[in-house]
Amino acid sequence: MANTALTAPDRLWSAQEVLVRPSPVPAAAGVYGWHFEQAPSADLDAGRLLYVGIAPRYMANRTSTQNLRKRVRYHYRGNAAGSTLRLTLGCLLGIELRRVGKSGTRMTFGKAGEAALSQWMAENARVCWIEHDEPWTLESEFISQLDLPLNLDQNRHNPFHVRLTELRSQARQRARAPAVSV
């Protein structure tokens, strides 16, 4: 039942729809699923669930301030340093990862690359969600039961895992080579 709410949702939401105020995305805990009208890789199918995320993450020592609205909106307009989904999509799309900031430890696609990724997502990425008080319990279940090639955590069994891990690793190695962008 929860699987179907993400794999075959009644409605998928675009960037334009979730970034308005007031946003239709609830400020609640839950699981969100990403579908793509155009797949970010020729090896993946378009028009189906490729990634799930949760908000908040389980934290034993403190309470997270994250919720579905904050996370979904961040994925659509944030940067690769704060969104593993954006990092994955950018790497698959061939956008150059760069070290940024004074320390040079953060990695994003730079201003132009993040803008290009946001535009690609606005055109191709659609999201759905379900509210759940303990989303981390559902996340593990979904990753073990569904084919979610863009999820890396808990997903070594997926055939796309090795390729995606290597692609992201190579992007990080290339980013460490040049000078830092400030």
Side-chain angles (χ1 to χ4, degrees):
M1 139 181 99
N3 278 5
T4 307
L6 294 181
T7 58
D10 293 333
R11 169 106 195 251
L12 289 171
W13 300 80
S14 69
Q16 183 179 355
E17 293 171 313
V18 303
L19 294 175
V20 298
R21 292 187 188 272
S23 176
V25 185
V31 181
Y32 49 88
W34 290 90
H35 296 246
F36 298 89
E37 293 186 1
Q38 176 185 322
S41 168
D43 298 331
L44 301 173
D45 295 327
R48 74 171 193 89
L49 179 67
L50 295 178
Y51 179 86
V52 296
I54 62 171
R57 287 223 150 288
Y58 176 74
M59 296 185 166
N61 299 336
R62 62 186 177 96
T63 303
S64 174
T65 62
Q66 291 296 310
N67 60 50
L68 286 169
R69 182 181 304 150
K70 287 179 183 178
R71 288 308 295 160
V72 167
R73 290 170 63 94
Y74 191 87
H75 286 309
Y76 267 129
R77 66 173 186 195
N79 64 57
S83 165
T84 191
L85 175 63
R86 287 182 70 88
L87 175 62
T88 289
L89 292 173
C91 289
L92 287 170
L93 294 168
I95 302 172
E96 182 185 1
L97 192 63
R98 312 173 64 92
R99 293 184 298 149
V100 297
K102 293 184 190 298
S103 70
T105 57
R106 289 188 46 227
M107 292 190 190
T108 73
F109 297 111
K111 204 169 206 169
E114 292 290 352
L117 179 55
S118 292
Q119 181 63 40
W120 186 90
M121 289 183 71
E123 293 168 5
N124 296 289
R126 301 295 179 263
V127 67
C128 58
W129 56 85
I130 54 174
E131 292 183 45
H132 192 278
D133 290 339
E134 296 182 344
W136 50 89
T137 60
L138 287 181
E139 181 185 38
S140 297
E141 190 178 304
F142 290 150
I143 291 171
S144 70
Q145 294 175 4
L146 301 173
D147 177 21
L148 299 168
L150 300 186
N151 282 84
L152 289 178
D153 188 37
Q154 306 175 56
N155 203 20
R156 289 186 187 277
H157 64 276
N158 192 288
F160 200 66
H161 187 277
V162 171
R163 175 155 177 249
L164 182 55
T165 301
E166 183 61 25
L167 187 67
R168 286 175 36 147
S169 174
Q170 289 170 356
R172 284 188 180 107
Q173 287 173 353
R174 285 190 303 273
R176 287 185 189 104
V180 176
S181 293
V182 179

